[in-house]
Amino acid sequence: MSASREIEILNLVNEIMQHATASMQRSLREAELGLAAMEARTLRFVARNPGCTQNDIVRASGRDKAQIARIIKTLLERGNVSRMPNEAGEKRQRLVLTADGAHAHERAEALREVVAQSLVQELDAGEREQLESLLRRMPRDRAGGSD
């Protein structure tokens, strides 16, 4: 495969991700959930990893520490997440969803499902399975599996 073909594949993957992100942001805005896309992603991570720390989210998301700190602060202020009591001598603050956060997460995930279905609507079941298999074979840097 020539380098230009590989670059074209990379460009297509980037276009699809940009489209998916824009669709999710638009869906969140239209649903008036009051969540930005990265806030919804952070809620998803906390829902899947109760007791996670800010550093866990930083590693899994690839975002910088300051951005994640701002997102967590916002989610704490809104009452979507809370801090678990620290164990004796533990300095890390562990996060869990609140009831409001779980509700917001459920609504955001329902929107995510609609966006995901729209991305693959032109593919039949076999093509979807093949695409998933191929994508799973590609290298990924995933520390915590937030997506």
Side-chain angles (χ1 to χ4, degrees):
M1 177 179 281
S2 69
S4 61
R5 170 64 63 72
E6 291 161 349
I7 290 171
E8 183 59 24
I9 291 170
L10 177 61
N11 291 342
L12 289 168
V13 169
N14 282 333
E15 282 178 39
I16 292 165
M17 282 308 305
Q18 288 170 357
H19 173 73
T21 299
S23 294
M24 189 65 196
Q25 289 170 337
R26 187 172 43 258
S27 294
L28 288 166
R29 197 171 41 253
E30 290 171 357
E32 298 179 355
L33 288 181
L35 288 175
M38 195 58 207
E39 293 167 351
R41 291 176 74 188
T42 302
L43 284 180
R44 181 180 328 106
F45 187 86
V46 175
R48 290 181 174 185
N49 302 278
C52 64
T53 66
Q54 176 178 316
N55 284 336
D56 295 333
I57 298 167
V58 168
R59 279 191 301 275
S61 69
R63 303 297 175 124
D64 68 66
K65 199 172 188 176
Q67 180 185 16
I68 298 302
R70 285 189 302 274
I71 291 168
I72 291 170
K73 181 180 180 209
T74 298
L75 295 174
L76 284 164
E77 289 170 353
R78 285 190 197 142
N80 293 131
V81 297
S82 64
R83 292 185 175 105
M84 293 174 57
N86 288 352
E87 305 226 357
E90 185 179 40
K91 293 182 181 179
R92 297 179 293 182
Q93 296 190 354
R94 300 186 173 279
L95 302 168
V96 292
L97 290 184
T98 62
D100 286 345
H103 180 69
H105 168 65
E106 287 173 20
R107 291 182 62 201
E109 287 297 291
L111 295 172
R112 186 174 174 80
E113 178 69 26
V114 171
V115 169
Q117 288 175 0
S118 73
L119 283 175
V120 296
Q121 68 185 356
E122 299 297 321
L123 304 177
D124 66 33
E127 291 169 326
R128 291 175 192 195
E129 190 175 308
Q130 181 181 21
L131 176 60
E132 180 182 2
S133 175
L134 293 170
L135 290 172
R136 287 192 183 281
R137 288 178 37 203
M138 295 178 77
R140 300 183 310 243
D141 185 16
R142 301 185 81 192
S146 69
D147 287 319

